[in-house]
Amino acid sequence: MPIIDAAGKARALYDARRDRVQIKPFTDDDPTLGMADGYAVQKELVALLLADGDSIVGYKVGLTSKPMQRMIGVDSPDFAPILGSTVHVDGGTVSMSGLIQPKMEAEVIAVMGERLAGPGVLVTDAARAVAGVCASVEIVDSRFEDWRIKLADTVADLASNGAFAVSSRIVPLTEVDPRYVGMTLTRNGELIDTGAGAAALGDPLAVVAWLANVLGENGIALEPGHLVMTGALHAAVPMAAGDVFRADFDRLGPVTLRVVE
């Protein structure tokens, strides 16, 4: 029987995350599901995860590049909270046993220095509130079979977030323009892809402003210390146990993550 309620869908995703199993996309049973339905499920899922003792350390913004928006069939990004349990340090390890069908992406993270609340937030406001930016690699993962996701599915599934590693080096905006940060990604020393900060809505700070305005519609603000994942700078790449990923960012430096069984 198809699950038709937000709480039921959230429980299905919660169980899939816990048991590391793939489930059928919700849009298979109901193709009419849209972004608002996805956020309703996401809200219920986050409540379940917080009840387990997890915490919100910031927010992920996805679908910030035009190619990804075209692929999903949307004209705007999506977002989800990022949880403390998913944070890894630079040079750390991540286990495949805790993931389902992961892929690797590199992106710029903004670190909030001041409270930022929408609506009406401009890029200049975001620039004043951001303490700096740093290097990051994100593991995207999906609880849905074979990544057969539509917009409602990925929104419900915390924007397909799995885990991420972030550099401890925060570079203030007085020293870098995040639009022009170039990036190279290597796997086991082999160049895999390249990118630049402008791939994220044209400017990672525009991503922060967009997020603050969307959160503000729900009475939520970005708080000091919050991390904002501003979106992938390239196409996601496969990963396997034994891989060592390193992303080198102009001015921000490198970040490395090792993959184990």
Side-chain angles (χ1 to χ4, degrees):
M1 293 292 291
I3 304 170
I4 59 173
D5 64 293
K9 287 180 170 66
R11 175 58 66 173
L13 277 172
Y14 177 88
D15 292 343
R17 294 168 68 94
R18 180 194 62 204
D19 300 334
R20 313 301 178 196
V21 297
Q22 301 178 41
I23 61 175
K24 189 167 67 171
F26 298 142
T27 52
D28 276 9
D29 289 327
D30 188 353
T32 67
L33 293 174
M35 182 176 282
D37 302 297
Y39 282 122
V41 178
Q42 181 191 111
K43 182 178 180 180
E44 297 285 346
L45 175 59
V46 170
L48 291 172
L49 296 170
L50 295 182
D52 283 343
D54 219 325
S55 60
I56 294 174
V57 297
Y59 293 85
K60 168 187 175 171
V61 183
L63 305 177
T64 55
S65 70
K66 291 300 181 183
M68 284 301 297
Q69 289 180 8
R70 285 194 295 268
M71 186 180 78
I72 299 294
V74 297
D75 58 4
S76 69
D78 67 349
F79 76 92
I82 50 177
L83 303 171
S85 62
T86 68
V87 181
H88 296 261
V89 298
D90 179 18
T93 61
V94 63
S95 173
M96 289 291 290
S97 65
L99 302 163
I100 300 174
Q101 44 187 344
K103 300 178 182 181
M104 184 71 71
E105 299 176 343
E107 57 190 273
V108 174
I109 280 185
V111 181
M112 302 307 300
E114 300 176 7
R115 191 173 191 268
L116 186 64
V121 171
L122 304 175
V123 173
T124 51
D125 302 318
R128 285 192 293 268
V130 167
V133 291
C134 49
S136 172
V137 287
E138 180 190 9
I139 297 171
V140 291
D141 199 7
S142 180
R143 275 46 69 170
F144 294 112
E145 294 173 351
D146 304 321
W147 278 95
R148 291 190 299 107
I149 53 173
K150 294 183 180 178
L151 182 60
D153 302 310
T154 186
V155 169
D157 194 17
L158 302 189
S160 302
N161 179 246
F164 68 101
V166 59
S167 170
S168 60
R169 181 187 180 203
I170 302 173
V171 181
L173 297 180
T174 54
E175 298 180 16
V176 64
D177 185 331
R179 294 175 296 177
Y180 305 130
V181 170
M183 180 280 306
T184 60
L185 179 68
T186 61
R187 179 176 55 208
N188 305 327
E190 178 184 357
L191 180 64
I192 297 298
D193 215 333
T194 62
L201 283 189
D203 184 349
L205 295 177
V207 177
V208 176
W210 177 89
L211 176 64
N213 287 324
V214 172
L215 291 177
E217 294 173 1
N218 297 297
I220 302 170
L222 290 170
E223 302 291 352
H226 269 166
L227 306 177
V228 178
M229 305 174 73
T230 60
L233 305 183
H234 60 95
V237 299
M239 53 181 279
D243 285 341
V244 179
F245 286 90
R246 175 182 168 118
D248 285 273
F249 292 77
D250 179 37
R251 299 181 185 271
L252 305 185
V255 60
T256 303
L257 189 63
R258 300 176 182 272
V259 185
V260 298
E261 289 287 358

